Amino acid sequence: MTLPAGTDAVRQSLASFRQEREADWKAFEALLARVEKRAPRTLSEDELLSLPLLYRSALSSLSVARATSLDSALIAYLEALSLRGYFYLYGARRGLRQRVGDFFLRDWPAAIRDLWRETWVSVGLTVIGAIAAYWLVASDSRWYDAIIAPSLAGGRNPDSSAETLRSVLYDSGGGHFLSGFAAYLFTHNTQVAILAFALGFAFAVPSVLIILMNGCMLGALFQVYAAKGLGFELGGWLSIHGTTELFAIALAGAAGMRIGTRIAFPGDLTRMAAAAQAGRVAATAMVGVMVMLLFAGLLEGIGRQTVTSDAVRYAIGGGMLTLWIAYFYLLRMVRHGNG
């Protein structure tokens, strides 16, 4: 049988093409096999740097092979190799479990630490609001109704007797009012956190006012109980869930302030770029805030009705605050110390 004219030239071209580039294909294939079975840390620095170069070389070879209609088996091989390289270099290689683990072990604590200045401001505003409202209600009880809505007050006001106020703190029987009020308070605090974050874009002014007002409500309520000699008891009642919930609200306010201040003072960036940069940190923190609020809701529903000892209540509240501080601010130090 007589071969078509030019067949020898095609074969020679194919052989030359393979000889020049096959070493790169094999090297790329070998590196991909190693990182797919083990981890990137098994490669040296030079090998890691060579991965994108070898990937581009494989793409170039595939382009030439397709354009010159070389061996179909070679084209299929290069297509498969290039696809593996693409998925490794640019694809999402983390599973759901790893993503969740990275969020709780790295992303969320790092975002909270990044917001430390705004967090201090948020906590300070809460304290200032609480002190101001305490003083206002102590000087004129009519301020109480101006600060706390009747639905949030739950029937408690400066005219309530000590027995009525005490029954809210320790009555676990029946529990209809307590459960309903706890659910309302959780919903209210969740709304405060979301608004403090969502309205931060308005140059942080709404976030500041919301956090300040939340502190005012706390101070007004404390004054009513303290006037009847129940301030210590109220602190224990609130501390079971309050240390988590108030900390979460402060963090939500800090996230809102970060966005607002970066929009107001973008520095060298455009306002949109500054807002986007701040938004990534703030959004990560806010996802964690929702987790804190859900956890606080569980403590609120269980702890308040089952724990009636003031000492135990304060121990739970103090323990939770210590755990959050250690998780956000000390975990990194421990990990670095062990590393």
Side-chain angles (χ1 to χ4, degrees), residues 48-89:
L48 284 173
L49 292 174
S50 70
L51 273 173
L53 298 177
L54 292 173
Y55 170 66
R56 286 194 290 270
S57 176
L59 286 180
S60 174
S61 297
L62 176 60
S63 177
V64 172
R66 284 174 172 171
T68 55
S69 300
L70 292 177
D71 184 9
S72 60
L74 176 61
I75 294 175
Y77 167 76
L78 291 173
E79 286 178 342
L81 182 62
S82 298
L83 188 61
R84 285 175 62 192
Y86 173 81
F87 278 120
Y88 180 78
L89 292 171

Short mmCIF file of all heavy atoms in Angstrom, two decimals, residues 48-89:
data_model
loop_
_atom_site.label_atom_id
_atom_site.label_comp_id
_atom_site.label_asym_id
_atom_site.label_seq_id
_atom_site.Cartn_x
_atom_site.Cartn_y
_atom_site.Cartn_z
N LEU A 48 6.57 24.17 43.60
CA LEU A 48 5.32 24.93 43.67
C LEU A 48 5.30 26.04 42.64
O LEU A 48 4.28 26.29 41.99
CB LEU A 48 5.13 25.49 45.08
CG LEU A 48 4.69 24.51 46.17
CD1 LEU A 48 4.73 25.18 47.54
CD2 LEU A 48 3.28 23.99 45.89
N LEU A 49 6.43 26.72 42.49
CA LEU A 49 6.51 27.81 41.52
C LEU A 49 6.43 27.30 40.08
O LEU A 49 5.97 28.02 39.18
CB LEU A 49 7.81 28.59 41.72
CG LEU A 49 7.92 29.40 43.03
CD1 LEU A 49 9.31 30.00 43.17
CD2 LEU A 49 6.86 30.49 43.08
N SER A 50 6.86 26.07 39.88
CA SER A 50 6.85 25.53 38.51
C SER A 50 5.45 25.07 38.07
O SER A 50 5.21 24.92 36.87
CB SER A 50 7.83 24.37 38.40
OG SER A 50 7.37 23.24 39.13
N LEU A 51 4.54 24.84 39.02
CA LEU A 51 3.21 24.33 38.66
C LEU A 51 2.49 25.23 37.65
O LEU A 51 2.03 24.75 36.62
CB LEU A 51 2.35 24.14 39.92
CG LEU A 51 2.49 22.80 40.64
CD1 LEU A 51 1.72 22.82 41.95
CD2 LEU A 51 1.99 21.67 39.75
N PRO A 52 2.33 26.53 37.92
CA PRO A 52 1.63 27.36 36.93
C PRO A 52 2.37 27.47 35.60
O PRO A 52 1.74 27.58 34.54
CB PRO A 52 1.53 28.73 37.62
CG PRO A 52 2.57 28.73 38.67
CD PRO A 52 2.69 27.32 39.12
N LEU A 53 3.71 27.40 35.64
CA LEU A 53 4.48 27.46 34.39
C LEU A 53 4.25 26.21 33.55
O LEU A 53 4.06 26.29 32.33
CB LEU A 53 5.97 27.61 34.71
CG LEU A 53 6.39 28.87 35.47
CD1 LEU A 53 7.88 28.84 35.78
CD2 LEU A 53 6.03 30.12 34.67
N LEU A 54 4.26 25.06 34.20
CA LEU A 54 4.01 23.81 33.48
C LEU A 54 2.58 23.72 32.98
O LEU A 54 2.31 23.14 31.93
CB LEU A 54 4.33 22.62 34.39
CG LEU A 54 5.81 22.43 34.75
CD1 LEU A 54 5.97 21.33 35.80
CD2 LEU A 54 6.62 22.11 33.50
N TYR A 55 1.65 24.32 33.75
CA TYR A 55 0.24 24.34 33.31
C TYR A 55 0.11 25.15 32.02
O TYR A 55 -0.56 24.71 31.07
CB TYR A 55 -0.62 24.93 34.43
CG TYR A 55 -2.04 25.22 34.01
CD1 TYR A 55 -2.92 24.19 33.66
CD2 TYR A 55 -2.52 26.54 33.96
CE1 TYR A 55 -4.22 24.45 33.27
CE2 TYR A 55 -3.81 26.81 33.58
CZ TYR A 55 -4.67 25.77 33.25
OH TYR A 55 -5.97 26.04 32.86
N ARG A 56 0.74 26.31 31.98
CA ARG A 56 0.67 27.13 30.77
C ARG A 56 1.36 26.44 29.60
O ARG A 56 0.94 26.55 28.43
CB ARG A 56 1.29 28.50 31.03
CG ARG A 56 0.41 29.40 31.88
CD ARG A 56 0.90 30.84 31.84
NE ARG A 56 2.15 31.00 32.55
CZ ARG A 56 2.24 31.31 33.85
NH1 ARG A 56 1.13 31.44 34.56
NH2 ARG A 56 3.41 31.45 34.43
N SER A 57 2.42 25.68 29.89
CA SER A 57 3.11 24.93 28.83
C SER A 57 2.19 23.85 28.26
O SER A 57 2.15 23.63 27.04
CB SER A 57 4.39 24.30 29.38
OG SER A 57 5.00 23.50 28.41
N ALA A 58 1.43 23.19 29.14
CA ALA A 58 0.50 22.16 28.69
C ALA A 58 -0.60 22.77 27.83
O ALA A 58 -1.00 22.21 26.80
CB ALA A 58 -0.09 21.42 29.88
N LEU A 59 -1.09 23.94 28.22
CA LEU A 59 -2.12 24.62 27.43
C LEU A 59 -1.58 25.01 26.05
O LEU A 59 -2.28 24.89 25.04
CB LEU A 59 -2.62 25.88 28.17
CG LEU A 59 -3.52 25.67 29.38
CD1 LEU A 59 -3.90 27.02 29.98
CD2 LEU A 59 -4.79 24.90 29.01
N SER A 60 -0.34 25.49 26.03
CA SER A 60 0.28 25.87 24.76
C SER A 60 0.41 24.65 23.84
O SER A 60 0.12 24.73 22.64
CB SER A 60 1.65 26.50 25.02
OG SER A 60 2.31 26.75 23.80
N SER A 61 0.84 23.53 24.42
CA SER A 61 0.97 22.30 23.63
C SER A 61 -0.38 21.86 23.09
O SER A 61 -0.49 21.42 21.93
CB SER A 61 1.59 21.20 24.49
OG SER A 61 2.89 21.54 24.91
N LEU A 62 -1.41 21.95 23.91
CA LEU A 62 -2.75 21.56 23.48
C LEU A 62 -3.21 22.45 22.33
O LEU A 62 -3.82 21.97 21.36
CB LEU A 62 -3.73 21.65 24.65
CG LEU A 62 -5.20 21.36 24.35
CD1 LEU A 62 -5.38 19.96 23.79
CD2 LEU A 62 -6.06 21.56 25.61
N SER A 63 -2.93 23.74 22.42
CA SER A 63 -3.33 24.65 21.36
C SER A 63 -2.65 24.32 20.05
O SER A 63 -3.27 24.31 18.97
CB SER A 63 -2.98 26.10 21.78
OG SER A 63 -3.30 27.00 20.75
N VAL A 64 -1.35 24.00 20.11
CA VAL A 64 -0.60 23.64 18.90
C VAL A 64 -1.13 22.32 18.33
O VAL A 64 -1.32 22.17 17.11
CB VAL A 64 0.90 23.53 19.21
CG1 VAL A 64 1.66 22.96 18.01
CG2 VAL A 64 1.47 24.89 19.59
N ALA A 65 -1.38 21.35 19.21
CA ALA A 65 -1.85 20.04 18.75
C ALA A 65 -3.20 20.16 18.06
O ALA A 65 -3.45 19.50 17.04
CB ALA A 65 -1.95 19.10 19.95
N ARG A 66 -4.07 20.98 18.58
CA ARG A 66 -5.38 21.15 17.95
C ARG A 66 -5.25 21.88 16.61
O ARG A 66 -5.93 21.54 15.63
CB ARG A 66 -6.31 21.94 18.88
CG ARG A 66 -6.87 21.13 20.04
CD ARG A 66 -7.65 22.02 20.98
NE ARG A 66 -8.37 21.26 22.00
CZ ARG A 66 -8.99 21.83 23.03
NH1 ARG A 66 -8.96 23.15 23.18
NH2 ARG A 66 -9.63 21.06 23.89
N ALA A 67 -4.40 22.89 16.57
CA ALA A 67 -4.28 23.71 15.35
C ALA A 67 -3.67 22.93 14.20
O ALA A 67 -4.00 23.16 13.03
CB ALA A 67 -3.45 24.96 15.64
N THR A 68 -2.79 22.00 14.51
CA THR A 68 -2.10 21.25 13.46
C THR A 68 -2.70 19.86 13.24
O THR A 68 -2.15 19.07 12.46
CB THR A 68 -0.61 21.10 13.82
OG1 THR A 68 -0.49 20.50 15.11
CG2 THR A 68 0.07 22.45 13.83
N SER A 69 -3.79 19.56 13.94
CA SER A 69 -4.49 18.28 13.79
C SER A 69 -3.56 17.11 13.99
O SER A 69 -3.51 16.16 13.18
CB SER A 69 -5.17 18.20 12.40
OG SER A 69 -6.09 19.23 12.24
N LEU A 70 -2.76 17.16 15.04
CA LEU A 70 -1.87 16.05 15.35
C LEU A 70 -2.67 14.86 15.88
O LEU A 70 -3.90 14.88 15.91
CB LEU A 70 -0.81 16.51 16.36
CG LEU A 70 0.20 17.53 15.83
CD1 LEU A 70 1.13 17.97 16.95
CD2 LEU A 70 1.00 16.94 14.67
N ASP A 71 -1.99 13.86 16.35
CA ASP A 71 -2.58 12.62 16.82
C ASP A 71 -3.73 12.90 17.79
O ASP A 71 -3.58 13.63 18.77
CB ASP A 71 -1.48 11.80 17.50
CG ASP A 71 -1.99 10.43 17.94
OD1 ASP A 71 -3.12 10.07 17.58
OD2 ASP A 71 -1.22 9.75 18.64
N SER A 72 -4.89 12.32 17.53
CA SER A 72 -6.07 12.54 18.38
C SER A 72 -5.85 12.01 19.79
O SER A 72 -6.37 12.56 20.77
CB SER A 72 -7.30 11.87 17.76
OG SER A 72 -7.09 10.47 17.61
N ALA A 73 -5.08 10.94 19.93
CA ALA A 73 -4.78 10.41 21.26
C ALA A 73 -3.95 11.41 22.06
O ALA A 73 -4.15 11.58 23.27
CB ALA A 73 -4.04 9.08 21.13
N LEU A 74 -3.01 12.08 21.42
CA LEU A 74 -2.20 13.09 22.08
C LEU A 74 -3.07 14.29 22.51
O LEU A 74 -2.91 14.82 23.61
CB LEU A 74 -1.08 13.56 21.16
CG LEU A 74 -0.20 14.69 21.69
CD1 LEU A 74 0.51 14.26 22.96
CD2 LEU A 74 0.80 15.14 20.63
N ILE A 75 -3.99 14.69 21.64
CA ILE A 75 -4.89 15.80 21.98
C ILE A 75 -5.73 15.45 23.20
O ILE A 75 -5.90 16.26 24.12
CB ILE A 75 -5.79 16.15 20.77
CG1 ILE A 75 -4.94 16.70 19.63
CG2 ILE A 75 -6.85 17.15 21.17
CD1 ILE A 75 -5.73 16.96 18.35
N ALA A 76 -6.25 14.22 23.25
CA ALA A 76 -7.06 13.79 24.39
C ALA A 76 -6.23 13.79 25.67
O ALA A 76 -6.71 14.20 26.75
CB ALA A 76 -7.64 12.40 24.12
N TYR A 77 -4.98 13.33 25.58
CA TYR A 77 -4.10 13.31 26.74
C TYR A 77 -3.85 14.73 27.26
O TYR A 77 -3.91 15.00 28.47
CB TYR A 77 -2.79 12.63 26.37
CG TYR A 77 -1.68 12.83 27.39
CD1 TYR A 77 -1.68 12.13 28.58
CD2 TYR A 77 -0.64 13.73 27.13
CE1 TYR A 77 -0.67 12.33 29.52
CE2 TYR A 77 0.37 13.93 28.05
CZ TYR A 77 0.35 13.22 29.25
OH TYR A 77 1.35 13.41 30.18
N LEU A 78 -3.54 15.65 26.36
CA LEU A 78 -3.27 17.03 26.77
C LEU A 78 -4.52 17.71 27.32
O LEU A 78 -4.42 18.54 28.24
CB LEU A 78 -2.70 17.81 25.58
CG LEU A 78 -1.29 17.41 25.12
CD1 LEU A 78 -0.93 18.15 23.84
CD2 LEU A 78 -0.27 17.69 26.22
N GLU A 79 -5.66 17.40 26.77
CA GLU A 79 -6.91 17.97 27.30
C GLU A 79 -7.13 17.51 28.74
O GLU A 79 -7.50 18.31 29.62
CB GLU A 79 -8.09 17.55 26.43
CG GLU A 79 -8.15 18.29 25.09
CD GLU A 79 -9.31 17.81 24.23
OE1 GLU A 79 -9.83 16.70 24.50
OE2 GLU A 79 -9.66 18.52 23.27
N ALA A 80 -6.96 16.22 29.00
CA ALA A 80 -7.14 15.69 30.35
C ALA A 80 -6.13 16.29 31.32
O ALA A 80 -6.46 16.66 32.45
CB ALA A 80 -7.03 14.17 30.33
N LEU A 81 -4.88 16.42 30.87
CA LEU A 81 -3.84 16.98 31.73
C LEU A 81 -4.13 18.45 32.05
O LEU A 81 -3.98 18.89 33.20
CB LEU A 81 -2.49 16.84 31.03
CG LEU A 81 -1.26 17.34 31.80
CD1 LEU A 81 -1.09 16.55 33.09
CD2 LEU A 81 -0.01 17.25 30.93
N SER A 82 -4.54 19.20 31.05
CA SER A 82 -4.85 20.62 31.26
C SER A 82 -6.04 20.78 32.20
O SER A 82 -6.08 21.70 33.03
CB SER A 82 -5.13 21.29 29.92
OG SER A 82 -4.00 21.23 29.08
N LEU A 83 -7.04 19.91 32.05
CA LEU A 83 -8.21 20.00 32.91
C LEU A 83 -7.85 19.71 34.36
O LEU A 83 -8.32 20.40 35.28
CB LEU A 83 -9.27 19.00 32.43
CG LEU A 83 -10.65 19.10 33.09
CD1 LEU A 83 -11.27 20.47 32.84
CD2 LEU A 83 -11.57 18.00 32.57
N ARG A 84 -7.01 18.70 34.58
CA ARG A 84 -6.55 18.42 35.95
C ARG A 84 -5.81 19.62 36.53
O ARG A 84 -5.99 19.99 37.70
CB ARG A 84 -5.65 17.20 35.96
CG ARG A 84 -6.35 15.87 35.79
CD ARG A 84 -5.34 14.75 35.70
NE ARG A 84 -4.54 14.63 36.91
CZ ARG A 84 -3.43 13.89 37.01
NH1 ARG A 84 -3.00 13.24 35.94
NH2 ARG A 84 -2.77 13.82 38.15
N GLY A 85 -4.95 20.21 35.71
CA GLY A 85 -4.21 21.38 36.18
C GLY A 85 -5.11 22.54 36.52
O GLY A 85 -4.90 23.25 37.53
N TYR A 86 -6.13 22.76 35.69
CA TYR A 86 -7.05 23.87 35.96
C TYR A 86 -7.78 23.68 37.28
O TYR A 86 -7.88 24.61 38.09
CB TYR A 86 -8.05 23.98 34.81
CG TYR A 86 -9.15 25.00 35.08
CD1 TYR A 86 -8.93 26.35 34.87
CD2 TYR A 86 -10.38 24.59 35.59
CE1 TYR A 86 -9.91 27.28 35.14
CE2 TYR A 86 -11.37 25.52 35.87
CZ TYR A 86 -11.13 26.86 35.64
OH TYR A 86 -12.10 27.78 35.92
N PHE A 87 -8.31 22.48 37.49
CA PHE A 87 -9.08 22.24 38.71
C PHE A 87 -8.21 22.33 39.95
O PHE A 87 -8.67 22.78 41.00
CB PHE A 87 -9.77 20.87 38.65
CG PHE A 87 -11.05 20.88 37.88
CD1 PHE A 87 -11.21 20.07 36.77
CD2 PHE A 87 -12.10 21.70 38.26
CE1 PHE A 87 -12.40 20.09 36.04
CE2 PHE A 87 -13.29 21.72 37.53
CZ PHE A 87 -13.44 20.91 36.43
N TYR A 88 -6.94 21.94 39.83
CA TYR A 88 -6.09 22.05 41.00
C TYR A 88 -5.69 23.50 41.27
O TYR A 88 -5.72 23.95 42.42
CB TYR A 88 -4.83 21.20 40.86
CG TYR A 88 -3.96 21.34 42.08
CD1 TYR A 88 -4.26 20.65 43.25
CD2 TYR A 88 -2.87 22.21 42.10
CE1 TYR A 88 -3.52 20.83 44.40
CE2 TYR A 88 -2.10 22.39 43.24
CZ TYR A 88 -2.44 21.69 44.38
OH TYR A 88 -1.70 21.87 45.52
N LEU A 89 -5.31 24.22 40.23
CA LEU A 89 -4.81 25.58 40.43
C LEU A 89 -5.91 26.59 40.68
O LEU A 89 -5.72 27.55 41.45
CB LEU A 89 -3.99 26.02 39.20
CG LEU A 89 -2.67 25.28 38.99
CD1 LEU A 89 -2.08 25.64 37.64
CD2 LEU A 89 -1.69 25.61 40.11
#
